[in-house]
Amino acid sequence: MKVYRASRDVLLPMLIAFSCAIIAKAVFFDVMIAEGQSMEPRIPAGTVILVNRLAYGLRLPFASRYLIRWAEPMADDILVFLAPDGRYAVKRCILSWRDQSPLYDTPSEGFILVHGDNSVVSWDSRSYGPVSIEAVHGRLVGFR
């Protein structure tokens, strides 16, 4: 009887902690490893990045749209978003539909233009066009 209670006393807190960690990762923040050279030299390949998933709104886990959106990407924000090829991409927002710039065609409402810092090798809005704000999963807040 004591063995059962001791294992329950250990397993329940572990299960609660694991569940909280999964929920936090799915809703609040995410940790990823940057791949590719498009953001070099600022973010080299293999860099661990921390993504604030609540920077622009609340998205339910595995949802393709925001439940509530309270902000939009601004110029110079480094974003993580789902690229047209289905992989996550890390790029810098250079223009949103709210920005006015004579250098670029302003994207339509709900879209942004993104570029990699290493423009020679970056596959970005110059290749696949504007990115929907709904595809943005968060803003990079730190890397190591």
Side-chain angles (χ1 to χ4, degrees):
M1 191 70 104
K2 217 175 197 183
V3 173
Y4 174 75
R5 182 164 171 77
S7 63
R8 191 177 113 203
D9 289 344
V10 171
L11 288 179
L12 186 59
M14 287 176 56
L15 182 61
I16 291 170
F18 182 73
S19 299
C20 289
I22 295 295
I23 291 169
K25 185 179 182 326
V27 177
F28 303 114
F29 66 89
D30 204 353
V31 177
M32 299 177 164
I33 298 175
E35 296 178 6
Q37 302 171 340
S38 70
M39 291 301 289
E40 288 184 346
R42 177 142 170 98
I43 305 171
T47 301
V48 177
I49 60 174
L50 179 63
V51 180
N52 178 358
R53 293 179 62 98
L54 292 176
Y56 305 113
L58 177 64
R59 178 193 300 265
L60 294 176
F62 311 109
S64 61
R65 300 182 59 100
Y66 282 97
L67 183 62
I68 301 169
R69 197 168 64 211
W70 46 72
E72 293 182 0
M74 304 285 289
D76 281 339
D77 284 354
I78 299 178
L79 310 174
V80 174
F81 61 94
L82 199 58
D85 66 358
R87 296 186 296 173
Y88 285 105
V90 179
K91 307 286 183 209
R92 185 178 304 278
C93 176
I94 59 160
L95 189 69
S96 75
W97 67 275
R98 291 183 188 270
D99 295 330
Q100 300 298 320
S101 173
L103 300 176
Y104 300 97
D105 293 332
T106 303
S108 59
E109 184 173 344
F111 287 85
I112 56 173
L113 295 179
V114 295
H115 280 199
D117 288 355
N118 187 355
S119 60
V120 175
V121 298
S122 181
W123 191 62
D124 49 35
S125 285
R126 294 169 296 168
S127 306
Y128 49 73
V131 174
S132 169
I133 292 174
E134 297 295 330
V136 175
H137 282 259
R139 181 179 66 219
L140 187 131
V141 291
F143 58 91
R144 191 169 196 36

